[in-house]
Structure formats: structure tokens, C-alpha cells
Amino acid sequence: MPERRADEGRAGAWWRDGPPGPFRPGFWRSPLRGPWLTSVLGLALLAGLVIVAVTGLLSYAAYNPRLPGNDMTPGKGLLGFYLFDWPTRPVWLYRVTQGAHVVVGLTLVPVLLAKLWSVIPKLFVWPPARSIAEGIERASLVLLVGGAGFQFATGILNIQLFYVFPFSFYPAHLYGAWIFLAALAVHVAVRLPRAIRALRSRDLRRELRTGLDGTRPEPRDPDGLVAADPAPPTMSRRGLLAFVGGGSAMMFGLSAGQTLDGPLRRTALLAPHGRVYGTGPNDFQVNKTAASLGVGAADTGAQWRLVLAGAGLRLSREDLLRMPLHTYALPIACVEGWSTEQVWTGVRLADLARLAGAAPGSVMVTVRSLQRVGYFGQASLSAGQVADPRSLLALRVNGADLSLDHGFPARIIVPNAPGVHNTKWVRELDFRPERP
Amino acid sequence: MNRRAGRWRRAYGAGPWHLLLLAACFALAAYAATRVVAAGIWTGFLVWFVGAVIVHDLVLFPLYSTADIAARAVSGRSPAINHLRVPAGLSGLLLLVWFPLVLRASERNYKGAVGLSTAPYLARWLAITVALFAGSGLLYALRRRGKRTSRR
């Protein structure tokens, strides 16, 4: 019966060649895809991801998670390790590392997209795995691609304060990072030799001199990246690399300004914290307004007192202004990547520790805020942070009283601490011996 | 010894180190997954993770490749295509990354935090888009003139 045999033939062809459409090799026709292009994009991505990963893990240490109340991921188990207490110098360290984490991450978005475009035929490769090894490796790619997308998406949405994800950012971004880094390390270990070989198969300088007329597909490869039936090129390889590189330059140029002071800040046209507030002493980036955290004039008026817990002392703002005041130019650097340096005047935390009967160098402090809602209503600072002479309970900024949105009547400024540890609207300092 | 290694390779498809590496990768990922469960966020985490696996290949890719095919169909085999593709791609990239600001999706949180409105971002994105297309168009005009004069 010829009809039945024809049916079997079709099923057999499906099994042998894959379902029609993207599973058939003829479907993918771009003449630019190939191991060389994928390797160039992959190695550029790898270089950037190393910076993003290292600065991300450093940011975990910057919160001093061993101090009470500081750890945003209390169930971290083995994944929250860090090797050292966060230092107070150089004062610009967190400004640089966290600025790099966010800006390099943004810069890599076009490279990541191009890399995913360059390997898309592999998603539909038929048969799905030719060996057990290949099957397991492809399963790990689910973690690699998912981890990359998850980390970039949560980070990018978080810096825009677009909290649509149904989980807290901190644990999700930390655990997502470990899943991604595990898969990335294995992917690099398995593929790097092949990537370097592919990179050597063509001369980059020659590729950059080749226009559309001279653009030919790469030689067919066993991985099936090169099209079986390539279409005539509409863009040269150098054109594609310039497209991706231009995208990266644009992402960088429109966001890096939020880590700078002065006129260059205005170049951050598409970054959440590139805004200009005005020219007054308090006209710089606000991270959380007083109104949004339930802090009003009633809490911060003449009846406000700073409580030194344990010592039973209550100080008014006038009392604090009568203490020795010190002035330092120090940056505020936010976990969201933006930063700014301002000139702060206030009382040394070390002097307040002495007033509370404690010896600076051996005591940490837990700082509590008037804020009624939201994260970081309290933060703990290490003995090293308390002892640094530049660590202040600031009362003034740039020569003027702090504005309400910048923490009036008093706020913490600690050199090199993440912004959220510079607690605003301080109501209580609780100095306690630090456990070694 | 050699024959055993060969038999392993034929059965598995790679050396034993390959399996070891991947086992370590899955072990670490599985441990991280237990932390996600302990944090009580695993359902949302899983949904977003699976979404992240497919978002490029099954959502973004069909969108931008369809747009590209349509643009090429309209322009025929005109050499101007890349002068359309590049500014459109870059503008789309900016929108993809910054849509919560540009489309004012995060207005409430942003205003509460920063104290300013997200209103200027749409105009900024549009201005950058216009500048990209204008720059690309200018470059195209200069190239055509260059070609014509060199032919002369």
C-alpha cells in the first residue's frame, strides 16, 4: 500500500531531519553566523562579565553582612561568603566598583543580545543531542541563558525602581548570580579552547577592512552555526560588529554620567539618577524622599532628640552643633550604581561613641532612623567604620543645613560605605562592643 | 586503560572531566535553588527564570526579525537598508532597557524615591531616536555623494 508507506516516510523524515521550520538547517540563512563571530562576541561578553561578577560579589561584602540586621539574604548558607571586612579607604572604592557593576552591565546588553542571536540555530538543532555529554551540556545552557536573562532583567528593572518581580531583589539577584556563574564557568571551561581556535581562524584586522562586497560565509562547521544555504549578505561582519559596539558605546555614554559630578552628569540622559535638581547646597541626588518613608516635619522639629542608647543620653540638634564639628568631602555611592561627592559637616561617630562611654576601635554601632516604612530603617557599622575620623553624624552639607530629603536633622556619612548605610533621619545610635 | 577510556568516550561522548565539571555546575545550581526555596520566593523566581530562558529566542527574536524582513521587503535591495536598521535597532535597544522610565511604568516608585517625575524620559528617548535617524540619514547622503564624485 503506497499511501501508508508515504506516511511512514514523512514520520521517518521528521525523526531524521527534525520537524519542519527552524529545526531544518535550511531555515537559518544569515551569512554572518559562524564560530568566528560567536567567539568574538563571546569573548567580549566574558571580559565584561568578569568585571560585573567581581564587583557584584564585592557589593555583597560592602554591606558588612556579619553585623546585626545588615544581611539582606539571611538564608544564604554557603553562598554569602566574603573574605574581608569592608574598608573605609579608599573612600571612592564602592563608588567605582558599584558604578562599574551597573554601567558595565548596561554596556553588555547589546553584546548579550548579539551573542544570543548568533547562536539561535543551535536551540533548534536536530537531533536535540547526539550523545549523553551533549545532552547534559545543553541542559546546563538552560541555566546559562536563563541565568543571564534573569540577572540582567532584575538588575535593569531594579535600578529603575520598577518592582514588578514577585520577590525581593536582594536574595533573587544573589542566588540568580550563583546559578548563572556556575553555568558560565563550565561553559567557558568547555568552550574556551574551541572559541580561541575559532578566533584564530580569521584575522580581525582583515575582517575590519572587508566591506559588504567581500563578505563571504565562514566555512561550514560541525556545530551547525554556519548556514547550510546562506542568503546574500546585506551587512558586512565589520558592520555587524560596529552595530553591536555602537550599541554598547551608546548604552555606556547615556548612563555613565550618573557616576560623575559636574557638567558630565548631564550626559546621563537615559539613567535613573542623571537628573539635575538645581544649584543650591542641597540640590543633589535624592535616593528616597522623606515623604515616601513617612518622615515629616513633626518628627524632625525642635523636639527631635538623638538617643545614645545604653548611655541614656538624649541630645538636641543644638547640643550636637556645640560639639567639635568636622568637614569632609565624601561620596555617596548607591547600590543602584549612581554616586555623587558632597561636602559634609558633622560630629565624628568616634566622639559620639566616647560620649556614650565606649572606646572607638572596639565598638560597632547600630543606627536607627525615624523612617516608618521600607528597607534600611536601621543599619550596623563596624568598629573600623566607627573609628574612622571621617565617619560623621552629618548636620550640614555644602555649608547649609541638611534638607529634609537629605536626612535633616542628622544623617550618617561613612567613607566608602554603600549609600543605604548612610542612614538618614537618625533617631538612635546604639554603640555596642563588636564581637571579634 | 586506554581501551577503557575509549569505551567511556564512545558511551558518553566526552572525557570524564566533562561530566565532573557539569556535575559540579548542577550541584552548585541545585544548592542555590535550595536557598531560593528557603527564602520563600521559589515560585516567582522559577517563573522569571523560565521567562528569561525564552525571552530572547521566542519573543524578541521573532519580533525583531519580522520587523527586519518587513523593512527589507519595503526597501527592496536598496543599500539604504542598514541606514534604517541601525538607528531603528539602537532606538529599540534603548526602549527595551529603559521602558519603565520612558513609558512611565515606574512613575509612582520613582517619584517617591527620587522626588522627580519620569516625564522627561519619553522626550529624551524620542530626541535620541530622531538624532540617530538624522545622523544615519546624513551619513547615507554623504556616502552617496562620495560615491558619485568618485565615479566622476
Side-chain angles (χ1 to χ4, degrees), chain B residues 85-117:
Chain B
R85 254 180 186 166
V86 172
L90 295 180
S91 169
L93 169 70
L94 289 176
L95 188 61
L96 175 71
V97 171
W98 298 118
F99 76 90
L101 294 179
V102 171
L103 303 179
R104 308 193 64 184
S106 60
E107 171 69 13
R108 229 173 64 100
N109 293 337
Y110 188 86
K111 187 141 201 181
V114 179
L116 301 171
S117 163

Side-chain angles (χ1 to χ4, degrees), chain A residues 28 75-78 117 123 133 137 147 150 160-161 163 166 186 234-235 269-272 275 277 287-289 292, chain B residues 12 18 25 31 35 45 48-49 52 57 61 64 82 85 97-98 100-101 105-106 109-110 112-114 117 120-121 124:
Chain A
W28 302 100
K76 64 194 181 289
L78 305 170
W117 172 84
L123 178 69
E137 202 178 316
F150 187 87
Q160 297 175 80
L161 314 147
Y163 307 127
V186 169
T234 56
M235 186 183 269
L269 288 174
L270 285 175
R275 309 292 293 275
Y277 284 73
N287 196 48
K288 292 279 182 290
T289 60
S292 71
Chain B
Y12 176 68
H18 184 272
C25 161
Y31 181 71
R35 300 302 87 204
F45 189 98
W48 272 65
F49 199 93
D57 292 357
F61 176 81
Y64 68 69
N82 289 330
R85 254 180 186 166
V97 171
W98 298 118
L101 294 179
S106 60
N109 293 337
Y110 188 86
V114 179
S117 163
Y121 285 105
R124 289 180 183 187

Side-chain angles (χ1 to χ4, degrees), chain A residues 28 33 75-79 106 109-110 113 116-117 120 123-124 131-133 136-137 139-140 142-143 145-147 149-150 153-154 156-157 159-168 171-172 175-176 178-179 182-183 186 189-190 232 234-235 243 246-247 250-251 254-255 268-275 277 285-289 292, chain B residues 11-14 17-19 21-26 28-33 35-36 38-39 41 43-46 48-49 52-58 60-61 64 68 72 77 81-82 85-91 93-94 96-102 105-106 109-121 124-125 128 132:
Chain A
W28 302 100
R33 286 198 187 95
K76 64 194 181 289
L78 305 170
L79 298 182
L106 290 168
V109 171
L113 292 172
L116 290 171
W117 172 84
I120 196 171
L123 178 69
F124 300 96
S131 67
I132 303 172
I136 297 178
E137 202 178 316
S140 81
V142 171
L143 301 181
V145 175
F150 187 87
T154 51
I156 286 170
L157 296 178
I159 61 171
Q160 297 175 80
L161 314 147
F162 190 45
Y163 307 127
V164 279
F165 30 78
F167 37 72
S168 163
Y175 303 143
W178 281 109
I179 295 173
V186 169
V190 173
T234 56
M235 186 183 269
F243 189 12
M250 178 186 72
M251 291 303 302
L254 292 173
S255 61
L269 288 174
L270 285 175
H273 290 276
R275 309 292 293 275
Y277 284 73
Q285 294 303 311
V286 175
N287 196 48
K288 292 279 182 290
T289 60
S292 71
Chain B
Y12 176 68
W17 59 270
H18 184 272
L19 183 59
L21 271 177
L22 280 147
C25 161
F26 284 114
L28 180 51
Y31 181 71
R35 300 302 87 204
V36 173
I41 55 170
T43 40
F45 189 98
L46 185 68
W48 272 65
F49 199 93
V53 175
I54 60 169
V55 69
H56 174 264
D57 292 357
L58 300 185
L60 295 178
F61 176 81
Y64 68 69
D68 192 53
R72 273 188 291 164
R77 286 190 55 84
I81 182 69
N82 289 330
R85 254 180 186 166
V86 172
L90 295 180
S91 169
L93 169 70
L94 289 176
L96 175 71
V97 171
W98 298 118
F99 76 90
L101 294 179
V102 171
S106 60
N109 293 337
Y110 188 86
K111 187 141 201 181
V114 179
L116 301 171
S117 163
T118 52
Y121 285 105
R124 289 180 183 187
W125 174 70
I128 293 165
L132 287 168

Side-chain angles (χ1 to χ4, degrees), chain A residues 3-74:
Chain A
E3 266 175 32
R4 210 171 133 208
R5 211 178 299 145
D7 279 358
E8 273 171 9
R10 194 181 303 154
W14 272 46
W15 182 247
R16 200 178 56 245
D17 305 330
F23 294 91
R24 298 282 167 88
F27 181 87
W28 302 100
R29 300 201 59 203
S30 169
L32 299 186
R33 286 198 187 95
W36 182 83
L37 183 71
T38 292
S39 302
V40 170
L41 295 170
L43 289 168
L45 193 56
L46 177 61
L49 285 176
V50 169
I51 297 175
V52 175
V54 170
T55 51
L57 293 174
L58 279 176
S59 183
Y60 184 81
Y63 280 70
N64 278 331
R66 70 184 171 82
L67 299 178
N70 281 8
D71 195 348
M72 303 304 293
T73 53

Side-chain angles (χ1 to χ4, degrees), chain A residues 235-315:
Chain A
M235 186 183 269
S236 62
R237 252 177 224 100
R238 73 171 176 191
L240 182 66
L241 291 180
F243 189 12
V244 177
S248 283
M250 178 186 72
M251 291 303 302
F252 179 89
L254 292 173
S255 61
Q258 67 171 351
T259 67
L260 304 169
D261 289 309
L264 282 177
R265 190 171 204 99
R266 288 170 187 271
T267 61
L269 288 174
L270 285 175
H273 290 276
R275 309 292 293 275
V276 175
Y277 284 73
T279 53
N282 272 285
D283 287 337
F284 57 93
Q285 294 303 311
V286 175
N287 196 48
K288 292 279 182 290
T289 60
S292 71
L293 297 180
V295 179
D299 314 297
T300 57
Q303 75 287 4
W304 173 85
R305 293 292 179 274
L306 172 72
V307 176
L308 297 184
L313 278 172
R314 292 164 61 83
L315 303 173

